Amino acid sequence: MALARRGGVESPLRGAESPAAGFATRGDVRRVGKLKLEKAALAGRYLIQQRLAVGSRNEIFLARDESSGGLVVIKARGAEVFGQPLSAGGLSPVVARFRREGIWLDRLRHPHIVRRLDGGAARDLAGAAFDYHVLERLAGGDLATVSAASGGLPFAEAVRLLRQAVVALTHCHVLGVIHRDVEPGNLLLAADGQTLKLADFDAAASDEDASGGEDVFLDSDAADRPRVYLPPECQPGRLSPLSATIDVYALAKTLYAVLTGSPPADCIGQPIVALPSRLASLPAADALLEVLNQATAMRVTDRYPTVADFWSDVERVIAPPPGRALIGAELDGIASFKPEASANGSDDRPPVASPRPPAESGAPDHPSVADLPSPLMTRLIGIGIALACVALFIGGLTALYRFARELARELRTGRPAIAAPARPLFCVKTLAPTKALAAPTENPTPRDWVGDLSAGTEADVLEMRGNFYRARPQKWAKRRDASITEGWIPRESADGGW
């Protein structure tokens, strides 16, 4: 496919790593500056409109898909980074990891993980090789920008959004993938601001890699990757066995950052031991701090083993005790409070919660005691479930008895019991004398024979399997037993049917 550029040809690869396919090799080791893709047509389909961002690792472009007419995001990476050692295939580790990100995204398809629509490799207008992913566009921004702009999200809103990240991470962990780069900047929002998706899998690794995989920091990546969300075992230069606790640690600090509007920069590689004054005055602050402290413990074995376990305790902390207002309501005012900085740049004043507007009509965020079923209704539901379980058990026993009876009949008669459908599929006529068999087999034995059909015998076809019909002839030339009413005949022994 032609790339819309001066005299260049694109190479839309799908996993190959040959020089002819457009990937950089040992003879093409150089790190060019910004990719020149303005107004280029990538893969003859994606028209680049503008550059959205440039980092030391990747460049992000906005493009229009000429096939669908919609907007997409192009995540591109120059094929080589100067000074990086090359693998046996002529690739630097960061490029190999970028391509592996595409594999993870294709494998981990989920409603709360950013979708990869396409990908490959090409050369830009200046002839520089690069790899790219075509991703869905999420117009709501990232959670880091949104939370920082408002000085921290309301507690109920933060929990609602991050609950979607928990679902996505649990899906990844079930499939054996550790994200290793969970932070607010990698949690993207849809245009409605309600749907959250997990992005940026270029640091992801399989939990089967006992060595811990590659260092999360590779060369120029270190400048972009926030260290505050990395546990001690993932800090620069350290490798350790991978586990879900890496993402538990990062998710806990992400929750802290989303609530406060800024990351806990004073505890890089350390557990969270204190909350800012705006959160510390809340009634449930001690319980929340205890959960965050355990999730960010220095020792892997002291943390929650899964993100689901961690989030279960977070939800328990925010659950309102009987007769008390929701903690989410208390924290909404805290999050909307924006203090003025003091002369020394610090802010030690107590929070002033702004009044919360009256709730709109509709279902409440959490069920009240009145919404819960009565003890009698709960008991009736339990009885109904028990009766359903008994009915399923009896039905299972009945099916097992019928199966055993048919199996015993097959062993006794030497042929499988064949149940005919209510009506035949079609009718055929034998073209030559044909032997009917008890089962569809290419190498029958005398034991498989159930009868003979004369040429021109009409038969109803009840089932097709491979090169055989299960047929019910209207007349038998000979059969092993008078109770036999059907058998398997080769398809080539009959006409096309009607």
Side-chain angles (χ1 to χ4, degrees), residues 267-288:
C267 55
I268 294 178
Q270 301 292 324
I272 296 175
V273 295
L275 296 176
S277 58
R278 291 188 296 163
L279 298 180
S281 61
L282 296 171
D286 291 341
L288 176 61

Side-chain angles (χ1 to χ4, degrees), residues 183-441:
E183 52 109 348
N186 289 334
L187 299 175
L188 308 182
L189 296 173
D192 60 4
Q194 305 299 311
T195 303
L196 179 142
K197 296 195 178 188
L198 180 63
D200 201 350
F201 279 77
D202 68 348
S206 170
D207 62 4
E208 296 178 355
D209 189 347
S211 66
E214 298 167 342
D215 192 349
V216 177
F217 290 83
L218 285 177
D219 194 46
S220 59
D221 288 6
D224 283 352
R225 199 175 297 280
R227 293 174 51 190
V228 68
Y229 300 100
L230 293 175
E233 65 270 20
C234 290
Q235 292 298 320
R238 300 185 63 179
L239 295 176
S240 64
L242 300 176
S243 70
T245 59
I246 294 175
D247 291 342
V248 171
Y249 182 100
L251 185 63
K253 290 200 171 179
T254 295
L255 174 60
Y256 180 104
V258 171
L259 289 175
T260 62
S262 60
D266 57 342
C267 55
I268 294 178
Q270 301 292 324
I272 296 175
V273 295
L275 296 176
S277 58
R278 291 188 296 163
L279 298 180
S281 61
L282 296 171
D286 291 341
L288 176 61
L289 178 59
E290 181 181 351
V291 172
L292 294 176
N293 181 265
Q294 180 179 346
T296 57
M298 294 288 291
R299 297 176 55 183
V300 173
T301 54
D302 292 338
R303 298 179 204 149
Y304 293 96
T306 68
V307 291
D309 292 330
F310 161 59
W311 204 253
S312 176
D313 274 3
V314 172
E315 300 272 7
R316 176 181 54 80
V317 167
I318 69 170
R324 180 167 182 79
L326 296 176
I327 185 173
E330 297 171 308
L331 281 168
D332 281 352
I334 298 299
S336 62
F337 168 67
K338 299 181 180 178
E340 298 179 358
S342 60
N344 59 6
S346 62
D347 178 34
D348 297 326
R349 295 173 297 174
V352 180
S354 59
R356 191 177 186 182
E360 298 179 359
S361 60
D365 292 341
H366 296 265
S368 65
V369 176
D371 296 325
L372 299 177
S374 65
L376 177 60
M377 180 61 67
T378 303
R379 196 170 293 113
L380 291 176
I381 292 174
I383 294 174
I385 293 174
L387 291 176
C389 291
V390 171
L392 288 174
F393 178 75
I394 295 175
L397 287 180
T398 303
L400 183 61
Y401 166 75
R402 291 177 177 174
F403 173 79
R405 184 179 62 184
E406 293 297 322
L407 181 61
R409 179 182 300 171
E410 178 182 345
L411 294 175
R412 184 174 63 253
T413 61
R415 63 180 182 85
I418 303 175
R423 54 189 303 178
L425 302 177
F426 53 89
C427 296
V428 297
K429 182 182 293 185
T430 57
L431 303 175
T434 304
K435 291 186 178 296
L437 306 175
T441 175

